Amino acid sequence: AIRFAQVAKMALIEKDYEKASHAFERVDGIVCELHGGLRPESDPELCDRFASLYNFCARKMLEANYSHSPDPIDDAILI
């Protein structure tokens, strides 16, 4: 997911919005899979923390995609 986020960031900087969109889709798919793999029955508190992290990253990717700004990507990657 980090690798595709970096690709999206570079594509936004280069104003290649099609490439950025494809990279964002890949990041979204990975984050959705990670979120879907959480099993709260084993450790609810830990799953809540990871869910919050995944939701934050997904929001930042959406923000970057809609604004065409690479800055929110850094927020998600640096967590």
Side-chain angles (χ1 to χ4, degrees), residues 10-77:
M10 291 308 302
L12 287 177
I13 290 170
E14 296 168 356
K15 299 192 184 320
D16 186 346
Y17 301 122
E18 184 175 339
K19 183 177 181 179
S21 179
H22 178 70
F24 282 125
E25 287 176 14
R26 298 293 300 264
V27 172
D28 185 57
I30 292 167
V31 171
C32 284
E33 283 292 320
L34 289 169
H35 195 277
L38 294 175
R39 298 291 174 248
E41 61 275 2
S42 61
D43 190 339
E45 184 180 335
L46 182 62
C47 287
D48 286 345
R49 289 182 184 180
F50 274 110
S52 294
L53 175 66
Y54 299 151
N55 290 335
F56 175 81
C57 290
R59 277 194 318 273
K60 288 297 180 177
M61 291 297 120
L62 278 173
E63 182 182 337
N65 194 10
Y66 288 126
S67 69
H68 292 171
S69 170
D71 295 334
I73 296 171
D74 288 333
D75 294 339
I77 291 174

